[in-house]
Amino acid sequence: MSNSDARSTGPGTGTLMAAMLGFVVVGAPMVYYLWSTVNELLAGHFDARRAGISIIVLLIFLGLLSILTRSIRRWEERLH
């Protein structure tokens, strides 16, 4: 198998699992922070500073989700 053949098959299962684990490790604390902020807002506690931070965290999380979606699509294309 030549070097070009190895590249065309895409990343291995270990690489894919490591990347997915990285997305979960980075994204899970963001989901927790956003969830707790929503819970506080629904309980009637409004903190402007926390709401501002939550908006920034939400934007970062949406960016991470976009990157994850594109990565999964690329991995899927490589498999087919």
Side-chain angles (χ1 to χ4, degrees):
M1 177 149 70
S2 70
N3 194 16
S4 63
D5 291 338
R7 250 186 282 128
S8 67
T9 60
T13 304
T15 305
L16 295 177
M17 289 176 60
M20 293 299 288
L21 179 64
F23 284 120
V24 170
V25 167
V26 172
M30 291 181 190
V31 170
Y32 172 77
Y33 185 80
L34 293 170
W35 188 266
S36 62
T37 301
V38 168
N39 282 336
E40 286 189 18
L41 288 172
L42 292 175
H45 302 106
F46 181 75
D47 182 13
R49 190 178 101 197
R50 184 174 179 109
I53 293 171
S54 294
I55 290 171
I56 294 169
V57 170
L58 179 63
L59 293 174
I60 293 170
F61 181 72
L62 291 174
L64 179 68
L65 200 58
S66 173
I67 292 169
L68 176 63
T69 303
R70 281 186 276 159
S71 297
I72 290 173
R73 285 183 182 159
R74 276 185 298 192
W75 296 335
E76 192 174 67
E77 287 175 3
R78 289 179 186 169
L79 290 175
H80 293 19

